[in-house]
Amino acid sequence: MKVLVTGFEPFAGLSHNPSSALLAHLPETLGKARLIRATLPVDTQRAPVELQRLYKAHQPVVALHLGLAMGRALLSLERLAVNLLDFDLPDNAGLRLQETPILPGAPLALATRLPLQAIKERWAQAGIPGVISNSAGLYLCNQVMYLALSWLPVEVPVGFIHLPPDETLALQKPQAYLPLGLQAQAVELALEEALKSAVVAI
């Protein structure tokens, strides 16, 4: 079995993105599952191509996608992805999109397939602060979450976690942050809970 975890490359002029940096802190395996880690481009045209390649190559039993939310101080489990791209901050290819559907004719919104409450409870037991969020935004994080939910089989647990800044970003600009090691621990716990639901589905 393979579990896919992705982060994003730096964007918006940043030199660091914790969603990619923490991938190196995750274990090689979880139980019998092998972890596949990948960094996605912050490019609305290239990210879907890379996502499709990863899904085809690995056929994951769980897919967890990660991204940075600079304005948030807590880990955020995303509940919904919306079929819309609408952002003023250009992607790394310089593209800005307004009122653009991710998949024309597809449903307006799709719900996560992660066990959100179970993950949140595991975090609380470990003393890791986190919340359930109802908005993944309208940028690439939302795009990747929506495509994951659209493209992977319904029995595959799929979802998205927004990460707060880590200590590296806080050193560059003073702000609330969560240490990268703690973020990696949170992601590992989330994967453990997702795998439990995947085993039931399989």
Side-chain angles (χ1 to χ4, degrees):
M1 295 191 300
K2 294 180 182 179
V3 170
L4 177 65
V5 188
T6 72
F8 279 106
E9 67 184 358
F11 66 104
L14 299 172
S15 60
H16 172 82
N17 189 329
S19 71
S20 178
L22 72 69
L23 297 178
H25 294 258
L26 298 176
E28 295 292 330
T29 59
L30 277 177
K32 296 181 180 180
R34 176 185 166 204
L35 261 64
I36 306 297
R37 312 154 219 223
T39 297
L40 298 175
V42 179
D43 182 320
T44 52
Q45 306 303 307
R46 290 173 53 221
V49 175
E50 178 62 9
L51 207 58
Q52 280 192 322
R53 185 192 71 78
L54 289 166
Y55 292 161
K56 183 177 180 180
H58 300 294
Q59 299 181 15
V61 298
V62 170
L64 177 59
H65 300 292
L66 312 170
L68 169 65
M70 283 294 287
R72 303 188 192 184
L74 301 176
L75 292 154
S76 300
L77 289 157
E78 297 300 346
R79 193 191 304 271
L80 297 170
V82 179
N83 189 13
L84 188 66
L85 286 166
D86 192 317
F87 51 87
D88 292 321
L89 175 69
D91 67 13
N92 284 354
L95 188 65
R96 293 183 177 90
L97 293 175
Q98 303 292 323
E99 298 288 338
T100 303
I102 296 168
L103 293 176
L108 176 61
L110 296 172
T112 185
R113 298 202 292 264
L114 294 179
L116 299 188
Q117 291 297 339
I119 294 170
K120 190 168 178 286
E121 287 172 12
R122 285 291 299 279
W123 288 355
Q125 291 166 7
I128 300 172
V131 296
I132 294 175
S133 163
N134 291 323
S135 175
L138 298 175
Y139 199 49
L140 274 87
C141 294
N142 175 70
Q143 180 190 29
V144 164
M145 182 179 177
Y146 191 90
L147 291 175
L149 291 164
S150 299
W151 288 346
L152 286 171
V154 293
E155 65 270 17
V156 176
V158 177
F160 198 96
I161 298 176
H162 263 121
L163 309 175
D166 64 359
E167 60 270 38
T168 299
L169 291 175
L171 283 172
Q172 296 175 13
K173 178 182 178 182
Q175 58 193 302
Y177 72 93
L178 194 66
L180 189 66
L182 203 58
Q183 294 192 28
Q185 182 186 353
V187 169
E188 186 174 346
L189 292 173
L191 289 170
E192 288 177 1
E193 291 302 317
L195 262 174
K196 290 178 186 177
S197 61
V199 170
V200 170
I202 291 167

